[in-house]
Amino acid sequence: MFAAKIFMHQFLLSSYVRTLNPNEVDWFYTPVYTTCDLTPNGLPLPSKSPRMMRSAIQLISLNWPYWNRIEGVDHFFVEEKAIERGILPLLQRATLVQTFGQRNHVCLKDSSITVPQYAPPHKMQTHLIPKKTPRSILFTLEDSVWENFKDNPFFNISTEHLITYYEDMQRAVLCLCPLGWAPMERCFLSFADAIPWEEIGVFVDEKDVPNMDTILTSIPPEVILRKQRLLANPSMKQATLFPQPA
């Protein structure tokens, strides 16, 4: 989930557009790893993010003149999660590069940029399964609708981060993306000009979640196959994957 920040940092360190002369730059990239603190289960501790971000901005504003001269307008941050309201005044003029889409969110300004989640291609390649492997899992997801479907044999649900995650995704007929697993509401689906979400996805109203197994198993096989063919289109991957090399 948070790999885009690392990818951006590594890419810019070796980029030909990078300069060590701050008087030549158009943009200052500010790498702040606000979600590096993890729980014993490997989950981020977002409660510490505001303090870390405030400390980082204080550091750069006290040690260098560039933030203060125009209140960070020429600085950008990569943030893969919602920014807490408490630190928004500090970032109100900076540009946020974010990997989530949300309507009318206080963090998403006209100057904000939405980018895809980053999945390391080499890691995905090491988990590829044979193309003819049958899709033996009907639905797969982690944690979010556990209470409703934990005993349903159609669902592959886990409250842990499974080491077979990549393989399970390839073996699944559908991957469930329930609203509410992250601290955001009223999400919108990004890159709609390139990704036909209505054609590749299945949308279930929140009130119908208890009947989701019935709704999804009633989809005709030919409809599922058409969605899978659309997902396999190279143009779809081009819209959602970072180019390699960047």
Side-chain angles (χ1 to χ4, degrees):
M1 178 179 177
F2 307 108
K5 187 192 298 280
I6 299 172
F7 174 83
M8 180 68 74
H9 195 173
Q10 292 177 337
F11 160 65
L12 290 175
L13 284 175
S14 58
S15 172
Y16 72 92
V17 301
R18 182 190 180 209
T19 177
L20 298 180
N21 183 352
N23 296 311
E24 296 178 346
V25 306
D26 297 307
W27 288 97
F28 291 91
Y29 173 53
T30 316
V32 185
Y33 289 86
T34 55
T35 48
C36 280
D37 286 334
L38 302 178
T39 68
N41 293 328
L43 298 175
L45 288 169
S47 60
K48 297 185 179 181
S49 298
R51 176 179 57 81
M52 294 179 67
M53 183 64 78
R54 282 193 292 267
S55 296
I57 294 174
Q58 182 180 36
L59 176 69
I60 62 177
S61 62
L62 290 177
N63 286 276
W64 297 280
Y66 310 105
W67 176 274
N68 296 323
R69 62 185 180 183
I70 47 177
E71 297 180 316
V73 167
D74 51 2
H75 289 61
F76 74 95
F77 301 79
V78 178
E79 285 300 323
E80 300 91 337
K81 61 179 291 296
I83 304 293
E84 284 76 3
R85 292 175 182 269
I87 60 172
L88 282 175
L90 296 173
L91 300 173
Q92 61 184 351
R93 302 198 65 188
T95 293
L96 302 181
V97 179
Q98 298 178 309
T99 56
F100 66 89
Q102 188 175 5
R103 296 191 187 283
N104 303 318
H105 190 274
V106 287
C107 300
L108 288 174
K109 313 184 301 292
D110 291 338
S111 59
S112 294
I113 300 169
T114 303
V115 298
Q117 296 281 358
Y118 177 69
H122 64 277
K123 188 172 184 178
M124 297 174 69
Q125 288 292 327
T126 60
H127 290 273
L128 286 179
I129 62 177
K131 290 185 177 180
K132 293 185 178 181
T133 302
R135 293 180 180 266
S136 55
I137 299 173
L138 191 54
F139 315 116
T140 187
L141 74 160
E142 290 188 8
D143 190 25
S144 303
V145 291
W146 171 262
E147 286 303 322
N148 277 318
F149 301 106
K150 60 183 179 181
D151 298 320
N152 191 312
F154 287 132
F155 287 75
N156 178 42
I157 306 178
S158 175
T159 57
E160 305 294 333
H161 290 280
L162 299 176
I163 60 173
T164 58
Y165 173 74
Y166 287 101
E167 290 83 357
D168 291 346
M169 289 285 285
Q170 295 171 78
R171 292 171 51 221
V173 176
L174 294 167
C175 172
L176 303 183
C177 305
L179 181 68
W181 68 271
M184 59 186 78
E185 297 177 356
R186 304 291 183 267
C187 296
F188 68 90
L189 297 169
S190 306
F191 317 113
D193 56 335
I195 303 174
W197 293 108
E198 294 291 338
E199 296 181 51
I200 66 173
V202 177
F203 296 86
V204 179
D205 288 338
E206 188 171 355
K207 63 181 177 58
D208 296 324
V209 166
N211 302 317
M212 188 162 53
D213 52 345
T214 302
I215 294 171
L216 297 181
T217 53
S218 66
I219 302 174
E222 60 270 19
V223 174
I224 296 293
L225 289 172
R226 184 169 68 248
K227 294 178 183 297
Q228 291 173 348
R229 283 194 290 268
L230 282 169
L231 281 169
N233 192 308
S235 64
M236 196 79 66
K237 293 183 178 180
Q238 184 178 7
T240 56
L241 296 178
F242 284 76
Q244 296 295 322

